Every structure is written in structure tokens, then in C-alpha cells.
Amino acid sequence: MQVWGRGIGGIVLVVLGAVWIAQGSGSMKGSAMSGHSQYALLGVVVALVGIYLLWAAWRAHSRRDAEARAPRA
């Protein structure tokens, strides 16, 4: 269950970070965040945390699969 939580959390944070990057850089208009570079920087940090969570979920899933396939003595 933790693997799913990390994966979903990672996806949400990557998407949220991408939106904040677009708003902070001025690519996405219509928000109080538009054109403010500190939000673009915050978006990068949030996206990196999301990427880390996705990596951790993938690694945990791979490890769990390897343990399931290992022969038992």
C-alpha cells in the first residue's frame, strides 16, 4: 500500500510542480502566481520531491517483485 501512496503522491507533486513552474515563469496566465519567479523555483523543488517519491515507489516495487520471484528454501 505504501508503494501506491508514494506513486500517487509523486505524480501529484510532479504535476503540481509543473503547474507552479508554468505560472511562475509566466507561461500560464490568470493567477496571482503568474510571473513571480519564486513560484517557479518552488515548483522545481516540489517537482523534484515528486520525482524522488516516484523513484522510491519504483524501487520498492522492484524490490518486492524480486523478493516474490526469489526461490524459497
Side-chain angles (χ1 to χ4, degrees):
M1 189 62 165
Q2 284 184 338
V3 173
W4 279 98
R6 285 182 193 152
I8 292 170
I11 291 170
V12 168
L13 288 178
V14 168
V15 170
L16 185 65
V19 169
W20 287 356
I21 291 167
Q23 287 180 331
S25 65
S27 299
M28 188 182 290
K29 306 285 184 197
S31 169
M33 295 169 60
S34 297
H36 295 278
S37 61
Q38 68 266 25
Y39 291 112
L41 181 62
L42 182 61
V44 169
V45 172
V46 169
L48 288 175
V49 170
I51 290 168
Y52 171 77
L53 286 176
L54 286 171
W55 174 81
W58 173 78
R59 188 168 180 222
H61 180 72
S62 296
R63 186 180 301 143
R64 190 177 68 191
D65 282 353
E67 289 173 359
R69 281 187 249 131
R72 299 187 185 225

